[in-house]
């Protein structure tokens, strides 16, 4: 036990498939659950959005449970609006320090995901280092660029990022472009690049659910274009919808996302998408096997994300869908290379690409699919990613 490296994971909501960090932690603990060199301690929300206890978890007290051999502790978060995330991370950091101190843990690593707690970060880092531990950081993407934030919140995000990047022992970037940005912006910071991962396999046991889903949504197998992601402006739904409406495709455009009524109304006003029966908002799909099946059987996949690092939905699509059509920005190009097709924001560019893809021969589509899967297998498999993490944690 004394030789075991204790790693504390802070910043995700749970160990589920709610979002990128949640899936990452689930996979990290799964792949290392039988590795005697490492013990994970995971902060989880006990209430609110994204909070839940996974199936097969062993509840050890009212506020703790064990899952994949990881010790998970729950934090209750008050309903205080946008400040909930800051409160949650601060409370989790305090709890990590209490565990390290109480158990006399040596050489602990506290890995913080996202730059939310800059004004409070220094005090936690100081306490952790005093106890002989180190602090690692994943800065996520350019949160301060997101359109949903006002100027004050964007300023907070940027300053918070600066403090946390400078105070961390190691910054783990899930994108080469993010790593370059960190050095360009903050100078000689210790960094390493470890991407996000995905499963390299076919979906399992979702055939019946998929057939039922197609029927419910009025769709046909392999006769829909697909987009999956958060319903935010910087994912460029407006451009994708408008360009699809301009295209000659007889197929449908299926959008799997969490609907925001205000943004949806704005989209309708700008695009008039309701007049086009091909545009279908179908809600969310949290069953991962079904979602994988939907991706596998899509005619093609749209990816319009332009803020952030290695995007989970992109590499998951590349591991499943034959044709992937990406907005041409650095974050996406470093992942897709020559295994995908690219579009830009100029009027008519994506519509032209849709018309081209719509008539593509089966052999060409399969060739793109093979290249995409090979790219994911080589650089983004969960086994490869988890091996890289344990290498850094055990240094």
């Amino acid at each position: 036990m004394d030789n075991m490296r204790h790693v504390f994971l802070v910043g995700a909501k749970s160990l589920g498939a709610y979002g990128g960090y949640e899936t990452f932690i689930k996979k990290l603990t799964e792949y290392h659950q039988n590795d005697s060199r490492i013990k994970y301690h995971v902060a989880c929300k006990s209430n609110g959005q994204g909070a839940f206890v996974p199936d097969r978890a062993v509840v050890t007290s009212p506020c703790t449970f064990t899952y994949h051999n990881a010790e998970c502790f729950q934090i209750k978060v008050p309903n205080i609006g946008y400040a909930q995330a800051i409160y949650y991370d601060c409370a989790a950091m305090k709890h990590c320090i209490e565990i390290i101190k109480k158990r006399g843990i040596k050489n602990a690593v506290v890995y913080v995901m996202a730059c939310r707690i800059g004004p409070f970060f220094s005090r936690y880092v100081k306490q952790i280092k005093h106890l002989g531990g180190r602090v690692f950081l994943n800065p996520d993407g350019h949160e301060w660029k997101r359109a949903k934030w006002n100027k004050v919140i964007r300023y907070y995000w940027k300053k918070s990022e600066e403090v946390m990047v400078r105070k961390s022992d190691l910054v783990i970037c899930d994108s080469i472009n993010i790593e370059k940005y960190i050095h360009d912006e903050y100078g000689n910071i210790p960094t390493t690049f470890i991407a996000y991962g995905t499963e390299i396999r076919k979906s399992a046991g979702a055939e019946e659910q998929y057939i039922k889903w197609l029927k419910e949504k009025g769709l046909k197998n392999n006769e829909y274009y697909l987009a999956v992601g958060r319903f935010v402006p910087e994912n460029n739904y407006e451009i994708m919808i408008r360009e699809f409406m301009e295209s000659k495709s007889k197929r449908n455009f299926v959008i799997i996302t969490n609907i925001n009524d205000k943004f949806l109304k704005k989209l309708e006003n700008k695009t008039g998408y309701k007049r086009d029966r091909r545009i279908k908002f179908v809600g969310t799909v949290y069953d991962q096997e079904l979602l994988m099946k939907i991706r596998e059987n899509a005619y093609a996949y749209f990816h319009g994300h332009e803020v952030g690092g290695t995007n989970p939905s992109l590499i998951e699509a590349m591991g499943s869908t034959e044709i992937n059509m990406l907005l041409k920005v650095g974050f996406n190009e470093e992942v897709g290379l020559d295994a995908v097709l690219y579009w830009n924001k100029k009027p008519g560019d994506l519509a032209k690409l849709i018309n081209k893809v719509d008539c593509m021969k089966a052999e060409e589509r399969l060739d793109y699919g093979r290249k995409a899967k090979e790219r994911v297998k080589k650089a983004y498999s969960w086994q490869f990613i988890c091996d890289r993490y344990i290498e850094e944690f055990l240094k």
Side-chain angles (χ1 to χ4, degrees):
M1 188 73 172
D2 290 338
N3 297 324
M4 187 180 279
R5 179 60 47 85
H6 291 260
V7 177
F8 294 78
L9 304 170
V10 173
K13 297 176 181 72
S14 64
L15 290 89
Y18 178 79
Y21 283 142
E22 288 72 27
T23 305
F24 159 68
I25 289 180
K26 183 177 181 179
K27 292 299 175 183
L28 193 68
T29 55
E30 178 187 332
Y31 276 76
H32 296 159
Q33 62 186 311
N34 298 317
D35 194 321
S36 60
R37 298 172 297 171
I38 197 160
K39 179 71 175 180
Y40 288 112
H41 306 260
V42 185
C44 299
K45 289 176 71 176
S46 66
N47 63 308
Q49 190 185 51
F52 82 108
V53 177
D55 293 338
R56 296 190 297 277
V58 178
V59 177
T60 50
S61 84
C63 297
T64 62
F65 62 89
T66 301
Y67 183 69
H68 288 159
N69 211 24
E71 182 183 75
C72 308
F73 56 90
Q74 294 178 301
I75 305 288
K76 187 168 184 178
V77 183
N79 186 10
I80 48 176
Y82 287 136
Q84 286 183 73
I86 297 169
Y87 177 95
Y88 173 55
D89 285 0
C90 286
M93 292 293 278
K94 287 178 187 174
H95 198 79
C96 292
I97 292 164
E98 286 170 11
I99 294 173
I100 294 167
K101 192 183 292 184
K102 186 178 178 181
R103 301 184 191 174
I105 295 170
K106 304 297 181 187
N107 301 314
V109 172
V110 179
Y111 184 30
V112 184
M113 286 156 273
C115 299
R116 290 182 282 255
I117 56 171
F120 317 98
F121 193 59
S122 296
R123 75 176 74 162
Y124 301 130
V125 171
K126 188 177 179 182
Q127 291 176 65
I128 291 163
K129 289 191 173 184
H130 180 71
L131 294 166
R134 291 172 294 157
V135 179
F136 292 2
L137 174 72
N138 186 312
D140 202 2
H142 298 318
E143 188 68 31
W144 49 273
K145 281 187 176 180
R146 294 196 186 278
K148 67 177 180 177
W149 303 125
N150 62 38
K151 286 183 180 179
V152 175
I153 296 176
R154 286 188 197 185
Y155 177 81
Y156 174 88
W157 273 108
K158 188 71 177 72
K159 285 298 176 184
S160 184
E161 173 190 273
E162 181 178 356
V163 171
M164 294 180 72
V165 164
R166 293 194 186 282
K167 291 290 181 180
S168 297
D169 293 294
L170 178 68
V171 178
I172 299 177
C173 306
D174 62 20
S175 157
I176 294 166
N177 276 265
I178 288 289
E179 187 174 29
K180 181 179 181 300
Y181 157 78
I182 294 293
H183 288 299
D184 289 346
E185 193 79 1
Y186 304 116
N188 190 24
I189 299 290
T191 65
T192 191
F193 163 62
I194 309 178
Y196 187 84
T198 192
E199 295 287 357
I200 311 297
R201 64 174 177 82
K202 285 278 192 182
S203 59
E207 187 64 38
E208 277 188 37
Q209 287 172 284
Y210 175 65
I211 292 168
K212 183 181 176 186
W213 181 83
L214 287 176
K215 191 175 180 181
E216 281 177 358
K217 308 304 178 186
L219 299 168
K220 292 182 180 177
N221 185 55
N222 204 233
E223 287 295 311
Y224 57 90
Y225 288 77
L226 178 68
V228 180
R230 288 195 296 173
F231 198 48
V232 290
E234 57 269 20
N235 288 353
N236 289 294
Y237 289 104
E238 183 185 335
I239 292 172
M240 292 189 290
I241 289 169
R242 184 179 288 118
E243 293 290 310
F244 196 89
M245 290 172 72
E246 289 294 318
S247 78
K248 298 173 183 174
S249 179
K250 298 253 188 311
R251 295 179 169 91
N252 290 302
F253 176 21
V254 171
I255 302 165
I256 294 178
T257 188
N258 53 322
I259 299 297
N260 174 300
D261 290 335
K262 187 178 177 183
F263 183 35
L264 191 64
K265 189 166 176 128
K266 192 182 285 187
L267 267 182
E268 161 61 12
N269 291 338
K270 287 186 174 182
T271 65
Y273 75 85
K274 286 185 178 178
R275 297 193 304 270
D276 194 324
R277 292 184 179 180
R278 298 173 299 169
I279 312 297
K280 294 183 183 292
F281 284 90
V282 297
T284 52
V285 177
Y286 287 118
D287 184 312
Q288 294 305 292
E289 297 302 324
L290 174 58
L291 187 56
M292 194 182 286
K293 189 78 176 175
I294 292 167
R295 285 193 178 105
E296 287 167 3
N297 290 285
Y299 183 78
Y301 185 85
F302 290 130
H303 189 74
H305 295 48
E306 65 175 323
V307 176
T310 304
N311 186 267
S313 62
L314 170 56
I315 55 173
E316 285 159 6
M318 286 177 61
S320 300
T321 315
E322 306 296 353
I323 297 292
N324 292 276
M325 302 159 72
L326 281 53
L327 176 63
K328 191 176 174 65
V329 293
F331 300 115
N332 297 335
E333 289 180 284
E334 75 175 67
V335 177
L337 298 182
D338 65 346
V340 302
L341 298 166
Y342 296 99
W343 50 274
N344 60 48
K345 291 184 173 186
K346 292 178 184 174
D349 186 76
L350 178 54
K352 184 179 175 183
L353 183 60
I354 293 166
N355 291 336
K356 178 185 173 184
V357 168
D358 227 44
C359 302
M360 195 175 273
K361 291 181 180 177
E363 301 80 30
E364 192 176 358
R365 291 182 70 245
L366 288 170
D367 188 50
Y368 269 108
R370 278 191 292 269
K371 284 196 288 186
K373 289 169 184 63
E374 190 56 40
R375 169 69 180 143
V376 168
K377 187 177 180 181
K378 185 177 179 181
Y380 298 102
S381 73
W382 276 123
Q383 185 66 64
F384 176 76
I385 300 306
C386 291
D387 286 349
R388 278 287 294 113
Y389 265 100
I390 204 163
E391 185 184 320
E392 292 298 335
F393 289 150
L394 295 180
K395 275 182 182 176

